[in-house]
Amino acid sequence: MNDRLPILKTYKLAIGGAFPRTESGRSIAIKNPAGEVIAHTCHASRKDLRNAVEAALTVQPKWAGASAYLRGQILYRMAEMVEGKRTELAEAISATGATTTEDARTEVDRCTDRLACFAGWTDKYPQVLGCHNPVTGPYYNFSVPEATGIVGVLAPDSPSLLGLISLIAPVLCSGNAVVVLASETNPIPACVLAEALATSDLPGGVFNLLTGQRDELVEHFASHREINGLSAAGVSQAHRATLEAGAAENLKRVRVLVEPDFTDDSGFESPWSIEPFVETKTIWHPSGA
Amino acid sequence: MGSVTTVDRVMADARAASFATRSIKTAAKDAGLRLAMSMVDLTTLEGKDSPEKVRSLCAKAIRPMPDDERVLGERLPSVAAVCVYPSMVPVAREALGTSGVKVASVATGFPSGQYPLDVRLRDTQRAIDDGADEIDMVINRGAFLSGRYDIVAEEIREVTAVCADGGPQGRGVHLKVILETGELETYDNVRRASDLAIEHIRPGDFIKTSTGKVSPAATMPITLVMLEAIRESWLRDGKRIGMKPAGGIRTAKQSLHYLVMLKETLGDEWLTPDLFRFGASSLLDDILRQIVKRKTGHYAASYDFGLA
């Protein structure tokens, strides 16, 4: 018999490239199907959200200004890091009994592929979403997509990792920074992901992770005026209404997916999942003719 | 100068850190934020300053949030002063008019102070003639650090004399003596420079931490050392000196920590813009954000408040 004392991990938040505890000091116990506590996660407060937005704000322009090739390399590096934590992520996904270990492995592989896919899109989506408009006059007229800014992401409870990756990959691809609220029922995979991303060359503050309760944070995601867009999946009808009402305050872009099938590669790896969080800028330029 | 007071660095740091642990909530926070706002010297001291930027800053100083009555249902206070370079004083004077917001001008060869004394005095005189209500002078840190305290004392006396005679109807203008604590190396030196300045300025004049051009600028422990020098002068001979931390104070929360330190060191009497100022450029926007958050429950964006 092994009488070693168990060392349970307390997963922390990821804000601005650091891993702080929640300022509120609260935690949530995560249990396995047998009802045993397997880890603790932070129970984030609205002030953690505020701090995450402040962190994102300082770094987002730099991320958007990085060349498409560099963003592509970094997204690919993220895929590599997820691949490196394949076993740990699969264990985390199945730890609460939401999936079998085998399904969890498949889920992690799909996450890796999805990141690699958007690594490829960084220098290609502008050609798909942008255009050269026909005008009558000696001008060129271009429409080019630019990053929206800071996007709040509310990940679905399940699939806990694939849902999150599917929402953030297209958003990061175009130069936005994200503040993510992880799955409420199993936030551990998201926390492991944050630890993996810390070594992925993604600038600190571009990906910020909160764990906690939607009931408490949704209204602050919705009403924070510095957040420019909201991407959510698997949220309740009431939360959806809160998001949309709050977003009206500063005209945030809101995209709420209802019962999405995250295994649908053609839908979730399409450039049209990038489109909701870019702004189109149209430029006139004399053609010199 | 008389006796020399030394500072226990460890205890000063610990004491200063303790002020950041007070819980300031609800009504106390509301009052604190508004008081802090009224103590701001809204500052622009850049080589790229233009009359247009100064005018825009003055408009913001008078009415920090033009839609305050609609959003908050109240009129927020103006800031205490606008702090500019001497060449911008006429512009600020005209823009501020009779609003009650003071024109503060840095002078005496800001930020280094490395100019001949007669040039520095003329710099001061000119700023006063152009309409400055307050002069922020720098001391010659080179002279101070090499122990030539008499030179520093002499320049403070001379600038004080110019300030005492100047102003409308010769009523005098206020003086703030910038010690540039980031260059003074030790807390003992900060205390010694504070004592030296306090000895030669008039009641109601200020001592000030920094130019904002040197890092570190204002810190809580440095400000505490200076506040304690002020307290001792007040207890010894009843001379009331003001305090202005400047540089590095960017958040509303920091400003509340400073107010706590001020109240617990010098008492309620000093909780007025006549005796305490914040030298800052971005602090005002953060205070406005917090006031809006308290009122509406929503976090505001930085672009919600006008530039300047």
Side-chain angles (χ1 to χ4, degrees):
Chain A
M1 151 148 190
N2 187 355
D3 55 2
R4 202 179 141 256
L5 280 175
I7 297 182
L8 290 188
K9 185 161 178 180
T10 299
Y11 289 95
K12 298 199 279 184
L13 308 175
I15 296 176
F19 290 89
R21 290 189 169 77
T22 163
E23 65 80 38
S24 66
R26 302 173 302 180
S27 64
I28 298 172
I30 307 295
K31 294 174 181 167
N32 66 12
E36 298 157 345
V37 174
I38 49 172
H40 289 88
T41 56
C42 290
H43 182 168
S45 68
R46 64 179 168 82
K47 292 191 178 177
D48 295 311
L49 171 64
R50 175 199 64 191
N51 294 344
V53 173
E54 295 290 323
L57 191 61
T58 57
V59 72
Q60 189 271 329
K62 213 175 106 196
W63 175 239
S67 72
Y69 310 107
L70 179 61
R71 285 206 308 275
Q73 284 176 322
I74 292 176
L75 257 79
Y76 193 83
R77 181 79 181 153
M78 289 165 64
E80 289 178 8
M81 288 299 138
V82 169
E83 180 73 18
K85 290 230 180 199
R86 189 167 178 257
T87 315
E88 190 182 350
L89 283 165
E91 274 175 21
I93 291 170
S94 53
T96 55
T99 56
T100 64
T101 316
E102 196 164 328
D103 287 348
R105 284 210 190 96
T106 315
E107 184 180 332
V108 176
D109 290 345
R110 186 163 252 124
C111 290
T112 315
D113 295 349
R114 201 144 283 175
L115 284 168
C117 168
F118 283 99
W121 272 122
T122 56
D123 60 350
K124 300 173 190 72
Y125 79 89
Q127 292 85 294
V128 180
L129 303 182
C131 56
H132 174 206
N133 307 308
V135 290
T136 52
Y139 300 101
Y140 293 119
N141 184 279
F142 307 104
S143 291
V144 292
E146 293 189 339
T148 295
I150 298 173
V151 177
V153 172
L154 295 112
D157 282 339
S158 178
S160 52
L161 188 63
L162 183 60
L164 190 159
I165 294 274
S166 302
L167 294 187
I168 67 167
V171 173
L172 292 176
C173 165
S174 61
N176 297 293
V178 294
V179 178
V180 182
L181 180 60
S183 159
E184 203 169 303
T185 51
N186 185 10
I188 300 177
C191 297
V192 176
L193 173 72
E195 292 171 2
L197 297 190
T199 49
S200 71
D201 301 337
L202 189 68
V206 173
F207 171 84
N208 302 280
L209 180 74
L210 305 178
T211 54
Q213 294 179 347
R214 271 183 227 122
D215 270 342
E216 187 181 330
L217 292 173
V218 158
E219 63 165 300
H220 297 290
F221 268 94
S223 67
H224 197 309
R225 291 176 54 84
E226 203 84 74
I227 295 178
N228 309 105
L230 292 167
S231 180
V235 296
S236 69
Q237 204 53 41
H239 286 163
R240 179 179 187 158
T242 307
L243 287 176
E244 287 172 349
E249 174 73 19
N250 73 333
L251 306 181
K252 281 185 191 68
R253 299 191 174 279
V254 188
R255 181 182 186 232
V256 180
L257 301 176
V258 182
E259 295 182 16
D261 173 14
F262 288 106
T263 60
D264 167 20
D265 290 338
S266 65
F268 276 98
E269 297 186 352
S270 139
W272 296 105
S273 59
I274 302 172
E275 191 268 343
F277 298 103
V278 295
E279 305 298 322
T280 301
K281 181 165 85 180
T282 296
I283 305 161
W284 291 76
H285 191 284
S287 67
Chain B
M1 61 193 281
S3 66
V4 173
T5 309
T6 56
V7 179
D8 179 339
R9 179 167 203 130
V10 173
M11 290 307 290
D13 285 346
R15 175 82 178 136
S18 74
F19 296 118
T21 62
R22 309 285 188 270
S23 179
I24 311 285
K25 303 283 185 201
T26 60
K29 185 172 182 180
D30 286 337
L33 291 173
R34 283 157 182 77
L35 178 62
M37 207 176 148
S38 72
M39 291 171 160
V40 168
D41 279 6
L42 201 57
T43 303
T44 183
L45 295 170
E46 291 173 14
K48 63 181 182 185
D49 285 348
S50 62
E52 289 72 22
K53 175 165 185 202
V54 170
R55 272 194 283 272
S56 138
L57 196 73
C58 290
K60 181 154 185 163
I62 297 168
R63 194 84 193 268
M65 187 177 164
D67 55 354
D68 48 3
E69 280 167 354
R70 181 179 64 80
V71 177
L72 306 169
E74 66 170 313
R75 178 81 185 238
L76 291 173
S78 300
V79 305
V82 169
C83 184
V84 291
Y85 270 120
S87 65
M88 294 297 158
V89 168
V91 180
R93 177 76 276 157
E94 193 192 338
L96 292 173
T98 56
S99 64
V101 178
K102 302 274 195 287
V103 179
S105 172
V106 296
T108 73
F110 182 94
S112 67
Q114 298 279 16
Y115 296 82
L117 186 55
D118 63 319
V119 175
R120 300 172 63 196
L121 293 175
R122 287 222 303 279
D123 186 15
T124 310
Q125 187 63 56
R126 175 70 190 270
I128 296 172
D129 293 346
D130 281 345
D133 303 302
E134 302 175 354
I135 294 293
D136 288 26
M137 75 169 282
V138 285
I139 63 167
N140 182 335
R141 282 87 73 188
F144 181 86
L145 290 172
S146 49
R148 296 194 286 263
Y149 304 126
D150 54 331
I151 294 180
V152 181
E154 177 61 21
E155 66 183 33
I156 296 175
R157 268 200 302 274
E158 299 255 4
V159 177
T160 307
V162 171
C163 290
D165 294 340
Q169 289 93 47
R171 282 198 304 265
V173 299
H174 284 286
L175 175 66
K176 305 183 199 121
V177 183
I178 303 172
L179 308 182
E180 194 61 301
T181 53
E183 290 185 341
L184 296 186
E185 315 284 352
T186 67
Y187 287 8
D188 285 351
N189 278 344
V190 172
R191 177 59 196 252
R192 186 182 293 216
S194 304
D195 287 341
L196 183 71
I198 290 169
E199 191 182 333
H200 296 287
I201 55 183
R202 302 156 299 165
D205 285 345
F206 282 63
I207 52 176
K208 172 175 167 184
T209 58
S210 329
T211 58
K213 303 294 180 195
V214 169
S215 185
T219 65
M220 293 277 287
I222 293 276
T223 307
L224 178 62
V225 169
M226 293 170 70
L227 287 174
E228 287 183 343
I230 293 172
R231 181 174 61 193
E232 278 181 35
S233 129
W234 162 240
L235 293 175
R236 191 173 54 241
D237 40 46
K239 187 171 178 179
R240 253 193 298 189
I241 299 295
M243 174 70 207
K244 176 175 171 184
I249 305 168
R250 295 193 182 87
T251 66
K253 186 176 258 184
Q254 278 177 299
S255 71
L256 291 178
H257 294 159
Y258 275 90
L259 290 182
V260 167
M261 177 159 70
L262 178 66
K263 180 179 163 67
E264 294 188 20
T265 309
L266 288 168
D268 289 346
E269 246 182 303
W270 260 262
L271 291 176
T272 153
D274 293 336
L275 287 170
F276 193 82
R277 299 282 179 83
F278 292 106
S281 42
S282 55
L283 171 64
L284 181 61
D285 276 350
D286 198 57
I287 293 178
L288 291 175
R289 288 175 78 182
Q290 299 311 318
I291 290 176
V292 170
K293 167 73 180 78
R294 288 272 311 138
K295 184 74 185 181
T296 64
H298 303 161
Y299 285 112
S302 45
Y303 56 76
D304 284 340
F305 307 106
L307 299 174

